[in-house]
Structures are given as C-alpha cells and as structure tokens.
Amino acid sequence: DSGVTQTPKHLITATGQRVTLRCSPRSGDLSVYWYQQSLDQGLQFLIQYYNGEERAKGNILERFSAQQFPDLHSELNLSSLELGDSALYFCASSGLQGTYTDTQYFGPGTRLTVL
Amino acid sequence: AQTVTQSQPEMSVQEAETVTLSCTYDTSENNYYLFWYKQPPSRQMILVIRQEAYKQQNATENRFSVNFQKAAKSFSLKISDSQLGDTAMYFCAFMKARGNSGNTPLVFGKGTRLSVIA
C-alpha cells in the first residue's frame, strides 16, 4: 500500500458527460501528479500541483482541469467526455522539498470507461 | 525534452534465472533521477528501484539491481532469482532534479512486459 488513495476505482459513463476523480496523497506530501495510461499512448503526465498551486502542465486537454485543496487532496475534472478518454488515471504524490522527496508514489488508479 | 526508450516490448525468463531489462534515455540535464516501476496485472504502479545520477554506485534492492552508465545514458534493471510474482510490466522513468524548487514529473518509457515461467 503506497498510502495514496484514489476514488472511485471504476467509473463508467457516456460520451459528453463530466466526471470527477479524487486523490488523497500520502500524509505530509505536498506534491500531487496526475497521469493518464492508455493503450496507445502509454503513461502520460497531465498536471502537477504543489501545496495548492499548479506547478507543471503536460499533455492535458482543455476539457480537463484539476485543483488541489487546502487539505492537499486533489481532484481531476474531465468534461465533454469522448471515447478516447477511456483510460486508467493515476495520481501520485511526493514529499517536501529539501528532504527525501524525489520519489513519486502512485495510487491504485481510477479506470474510466466512456461508452 | 527528455525521452526514455525501452527497446524490449516483451521478455520471458525461467523461474530462478536472471533477466536484464534495458532502458536508454536522452537528456541534456546533469542532475536527474532514474526509476524502475513495476505494474503487475492488478495495474498498481509499484516502485522497484531508484538511482540518483550524481551517484556512481549502482542501486540495489534485494534481488533487483541496476547498471547505470551515465555517459552512455543507459539504465538497465537486473532481476536475480526470478519469481513468478515478478511477472509484470516494467517501466523505466526519468525525472529531472530541480533542487529546492520541488520535484518534476516523470517521463516514462513504453514498458517491457516480463513473464516468469515456472
């Protein structure tokens, strides 16, 4: 158990809908990362937050957005869903800067199926 | 931009034998970290081993060890005494070090599917 939790585990929805994926980082970790794993694109970085602020952006579509709340949990919002958004979405977290912080620990993922 | 290449899409090994998974990367950075993650059929991403680029000594974690060749930009993973539970997808990953500015995202290779055969 990595200490990172993600809900829900599975999500099935229809095209055009909007969903929210939730992530709780390991206790004390300030950085949260979102990754998308699809069959054809492999593991792709979407977005990073550090202590509530957006820190880096990757290949995230404009239909997707995220935020990190004061209690450090994060949510990834996916809207106007398309069939191609079906994937496994991972959240990872890492620790405070200046300490042993260089390792990202992954949650179990949310499997999104868009029908 | 950094890239990570895993040239072996699939590999198999007999139980108790040794296998080496290859990984090469391309970067102009001098300070970075390299990782191997394992993804078993459960799809959980599990950290196997990490290596700091500034360290010459190769990292080891029980049956897992790496051969880090910085000049060649090569980072292979050796699994000794392979076990059935080692059957998984293995991803090599690169992370740029940002010092006191915080961590950076991981860049992953496409993965190598390892099957351990009884």
Side-chain angles (χ1 to χ4, degrees):
Chain A
D1 185 358
S2 67
V4 180
T5 61
Q6 288 186 249
T7 56
K9 273 191 167 180
H10 302 279
L11 204 46
I12 302 174
T13 189
T15 54
Q17 295 298 304
R18 173 189 168 95
V19 297
T20 298
L21 282 53
R22 183 188 168 105
C23 167
S24 292
R26 295 184 314 160
S27 178
D29 281 358
L30 299 181
S31 281
V32 169
Y33 310 77
W34 287 97
Y35 295 88
Q36 178 193 56
Q37 185 178 30
S38 57
L39 279 175
D40 55 345
Q41 294 292 326
L43 273 154
Q44 301 260 324
F45 165 68
L46 295 177
I47 197 163
Q48 176 196 359
Y49 279 84
Y50 176 81
N51 201 20
E53 293 188 2
E54 183 183 301
R55 180 58 65 94
K57 229 171 184 175
N59 299 319
I60 188 166
L61 299 171
E62 284 191 14
R63 300 183 286 108
F64 296 0
S65 64
Q67 54 184 325
Q68 186 179 28
F69 295 86
D71 67 351
L72 301 177
H73 92 271
S74 177
E75 292 181 358
L76 179 67
N77 301 296
L78 314 177
S79 61
S80 302
L81 285 167
E82 301 174 358
L83 296 177
D85 298 328
S86 295
L88 189 53
Y89 291 84
F90 284 108
C91 167
S93 75
S94 64
L96 292 168
Q97 57 184 319
T99 58
Y100 186 79
T101 66
D102 47 47
T103 299
Q104 293 179 31
Y105 294 91
F106 283 73
T110 292
R111 177 171 294 285
L112 173 66
T113 302
V114 183
L115 300 176
Chain B
Q2 290 76 32
T3 59
V4 177
T5 302
Q6 293 179 249
S7 58
Q8 306 150 312
E10 292 188 26
M11 295 188 74
S12 62
V13 63
Q14 293 286 335
E15 202 175 2
E17 296 296 305
T18 296
V19 64
T20 299
L21 281 56
S22 300
C23 172
T24 58
Y25 59 95
D26 189 23
T27 184
S28 58
E29 301 286 331
N30 193 46
N31 295 321
Y32 52 88
Y33 301 92
L34 295 161
F35 303 85
W36 280 97
Y37 283 88
K38 165 184 176 180
Q39 188 177 41
S42 66
R43 307 304 298 272
Q44 172 79 50
M45 291 290 287
I46 302 166
L47 176 70
V48 175
I49 201 165
R50 61 186 282 277
Q51 174 79 43
E52 299 93 327
Y54 63 85
K55 285 190 178 178
Q56 290 190 331
Q57 185 173 9
N58 290 322
T60 62
E61 287 286 343
N62 301 312
R63 298 181 296 107
F64 298 89
S65 61
V66 298
N67 183 4
F68 174 48
Q69 303 287 329
K70 190 172 183 180
K73 296 180 182 173
S74 169
F75 183 62
S76 60
L77 174 70
K78 184 171 86 170
I79 306 174
S80 304
D81 186 25
S82 297
Q83 301 175 359
L84 295 177
D86 296 332
T87 293
M89 191 75 137
Y90 287 81
F91 291 96
C92 179
F94 171 99
M95 186 180 80
K96 191 167 57 173
R98 287 177 59 181
N100 290 331
S101 301
N103 296 320
T104 61
L106 291 164
V107 176
F108 286 93
K110 296 283 189 188
T112 295
R113 186 174 303 280
L114 177 67
S115 298
V116 180
I117 302 164

